[in-house]
Amino acid sequence: MDIEKSGGHNSEFVYNEFEPVPEEMRKNNSSELFTLWFASNMTIGDFAIGFIPVLLGLSLGMSLFSMLLGSVMGSILVAFMSRTGTLTGLPQMVLGRRAFGKNFGIFMTVLQWINTLGWLTVNLILASFAFSLAFHVPYYEISIILMGIIIFLISNSGRKSISYFEKAMSVILGILFTIIILNAGLHINDIYAYKPSSFGFGVAFGITLATSFSYLMSWGPYAADYSRYNKTKNAFIYTFSGGLIATFWAEIAGVFVAIMSLDPSGNPASDLNHVLGPYGIIGLIAIFLGGIAADALNLYSNSISLKSTGLKIKRIYSVIFGIVIAIALAVALYTKFYSFYEDFLFLLDYWITPWLGIMLADFFIVNRNEKFNIKTIPGLNISGISAYFIALIASVPFMDPGIIFEGPISKLYLGGVDISYYVSFLLALVLYPVITKVINRNNIQSHVK
């Protein structure tokens, strides 16, 4: 079996991406998945989502409900994907090849490489914002490069070291975000005085729900990269609870800070620093540590995705390639970041939900309890490709990513709320089994004739 070292003093052996981790090697306790997804979601990205309902004027109660609902929905999808890793011992994008075929699977893997690179850049910028404010760094380029080096060292050290790091970050970030929420008690009058302009299930609720769901479910194409070394038992519940608790916790903190700042600037790091006053350093440390925790996973999965295309490259070089591009993009986009953050969340994730729907149908409906064999996968799987594009195209009228495009149904009947994620996911989930059954039946009939 072809193996290579992951690098670093605490290196582990990482199996060739196309070879499953043997069942006897999947010894890691699934409880580590809780801290891994907890730390990686206790970030400024989730924190910033808490600003959206306040900026839209949504009531406090509906803000919390929409974020909780979005977080639950997103956590369920990530947990199912985590389960596929424990069942097969393979990385997430390699698993997609059965539903789509080898050739189209490579195309989807390239999309995931772009996805991980985008989130790597986003969190690098957000972490650098906070680091520059906390330590009065005069040039943002210095913060970006320093954060990039730290992320590279953690990610390149291997999955085992990442797991240890995320465990430590779970404790530290949990304490720091608890302090941020408890600080709301000192500003209880400001929270009570908050005057929402939207109270029910309207546009503000829909946008908040979609954004919260979008952020968390975008981890779906990563999940098996980490669970493939774990025991099958309880992998779903640990992944689900880790992502849900951390995301909702951070979003609650964001809502409170947005309200307490009285007039949110649009930069959550600056507003948090202002709200905490002399203790602002605590919030800023939480933000840049959370960014590092998320990007340790982003960069690791970025390198795994690049290798999963079949490119013959050592992982250390794929890690270097990813972080260099992310640093360059972060420097270029740093001063314009918040003008496109919300649209970024929508645009980057459109490809993911129909993919997730097909993956769930493939593993838990069409090929339930069947062994995964990478060697028998054809070049193209017409069922998966057809279901994917039908679902994606059908969801276009429901899209509304802002100034770039407004789908006619979203614009005319939904007040600008984007529900395309739900449409494409459900359609793909239903269509893939149906198309597969029709094609199999036709193949049987043609053989009989």
Side-chain angles (χ1 to χ4, degrees):
M1 182 178 293
D2 181 26
I3 55 177
E4 67 173 54
K5 268 195 172 183
S6 63
H9 73 280
N10 189 29
S11 62
E12 62 185 350
F13 281 106
V14 178
Y15 288 84
N16 181 305
E17 277 63 38
F18 301 101
E19 294 282 352
V21 177
E23 290 189 25
E24 64 271 17
M25 295 293 291
R26 300 177 210 168
K27 297 180 179 179
N28 292 4
N29 195 309
S30 292
S31 61
E32 73 166 7
L33 295 174
F34 175 87
T35 52
L36 187 144
W37 293 112
F38 183 92
S40 59
N41 282 287
M42 190 68 76
T43 68
I44 189 175
D46 300 275
F47 176 77
I49 290 172
F51 276 59
I52 292 173
V54 177
L55 292 170
L56 294 174
L58 190 61
S59 68
L60 179 59
M62 295 305 289
S63 295
L64 298 178
F65 178 60
S66 61
M67 293 187 302
L68 176 61
L69 183 58
S71 298
V72 169
M73 293 162 55
S75 296
I76 290 173
L77 295 186
V78 178
F80 270 116
M81 292 299 99
S82 184
R83 173 76 171 156
T84 65
T86 61
L87 290 172
T88 63
L90 286 166
Q92 197 71 71
M93 297 313 297
V94 173
L95 298 180
R97 292 192 175 197
R98 182 168 66 185
F100 295 98
K102 177 182 176 181
N103 297 332
F104 195 78
I106 292 174
F107 169 71
M108 302 302 287
T109 303
V110 172
L111 287 182
Q112 169 62 354
W113 182 81
I114 295 171
N115 180 54
T116 53
L117 184 64
W119 283 114
L120 177 62
T121 304
V122 164
N123 284 288
L124 183 57
I125 292 173
L126 292 168
S128 299
F129 270 143
F131 187 83
S132 295
L133 278 173
F135 300 104
H136 308 288
V137 180
Y139 301 103
Y140 65 83
E141 294 89 348
I142 296 175
S143 296
I144 291 173
I145 292 171
L146 181 58
M147 294 293 100
I149 291 172
I150 293 171
I151 292 163
F152 166 78
L153 292 174
I154 296 169
S155 183
N156 186 58
S157 63
R159 186 210 173 286
K160 187 180 293 185
S161 294
I162 291 173
S163 179
Y164 292 146
F165 175 74
E166 300 296 348
K167 284 181 181 179
M169 285 299 100
S170 291
V171 176
I172 295 170
L173 291 170
I175 293 172
L176 292 176
F177 272 90
T178 297
I179 292 172
I180 294 170
I181 291 176
L182 290 176
N183 181 69
L186 303 176
H187 300 262
I188 196 68
N189 290 334
D190 292 332
I191 294 175
Y192 277 128
Y194 170 59
K195 302 288 187 188
S197 57
S198 177
F199 294 88
F201 297 94
V203 173
F205 180 92
I207 291 175
T208 304
L209 173 67
T211 308
S212 181
F213 169 71
S214 165
Y215 190 92
L216 192 45
M217 71 84 186
S218 66
W219 287 111
Y222 299 60
D225 295 350
Y226 305 96
S227 63
R228 59 186 170 140
Y229 292 94
N230 292 92
K231 299 175 183 177
T232 303
K233 187 178 181 181
N234 297 326
F236 181 97
I237 191 63
Y238 282 124
T239 300
F240 170 79
S241 56
L244 171 62
I245 294 171
T247 299
F248 189 51
W249 195 340
E251 288 173 350
I252 291 173
V255 168
F256 286 164
V257 169
I259 292 173
M260 292 185 294
S261 65
L262 301 180
D263 185 20
S265 68
N267 184 330
S270 298
D271 290 326
L272 178 59
N273 188 43
H274 168 71
V275 166
L276 293 180
Y279 305 105
I281 187 69
I282 294 175
L284 295 176
I285 289 174
I287 287 174
F288 78 75
L289 286 180
I292 293 172
D295 268 352
L297 270 64
N298 283 319
L299 184 55
Y300 180 82
S301 282
N302 180 265
S303 68
I304 297 298
S305 295
L306 188 61
K307 287 175 64 60
S308 294
T309 62
L311 188 65
K312 302 295 184 182
I313 182 175
K314 289 186 176 180
R315 200 177 74 81
I316 186 172
Y317 298 127
S318 63
V319 175
I320 291 172
F321 186 55
I323 196 63
V324 168
I325 294 178
I327 288 173
L329 288 172
V331 170
L333 298 173
Y334 187 90
T335 57
K336 320 166 185 161
F337 179 69
Y338 280 102
S339 64
F340 74 87
Y341 177 62
E342 185 179 322
D343 287 343
F344 168 85
L345 284 175
F346 284 110
L347 282 174
L348 196 61
D349 293 344
Y350 280 132
W351 75 272
I352 297 178
T353 44
W355 180 87
L356 288 173
I358 290 171
M359 286 291 290
L360 287 179
D362 182 64
F363 270 86
F364 302 105
I365 301 175
V366 175
N367 295 299
R368 185 174 54 184
N369 299 324
E370 288 191 18
K371 285 284 187 179
F372 188 97
N373 189 348
I374 187 72
K375 296 177 182 178
T376 63
I377 293 173
L380 295 173
N381 184 340
I382 301 302
S383 301
I385 296 171
S386 301
Y388 182 83
F389 280 111
I390 292 172
L392 188 62
I393 293 170
S395 71
V396 170
F398 300 89
M399 294 180 181
D400 196 336
I403 60 173
I404 299 173
F405 172 76
E406 289 182 293
I409 294 179
S410 174
K411 181 179 180 180
L412 297 175
Y413 303 106
L414 302 175
V417 175
D418 190 322
I419 64 168
S420 62
Y421 296 138
Y422 321 122
V423 173
S424 62
F425 171 77
L426 292 173
L427 274 176
L429 183 67
V430 172
L431 285 172
Y432 179 65
V434 171
I435 295 174
T436 299
K437 189 172 183 178
V438 170
I439 290 177
N440 289 343
R441 184 192 303 153
N442 290 339
N443 287 339
I444 292 172
Q445 291 176 350
S446 64
H447 282 115
V448 170
K449 292 178 181 179

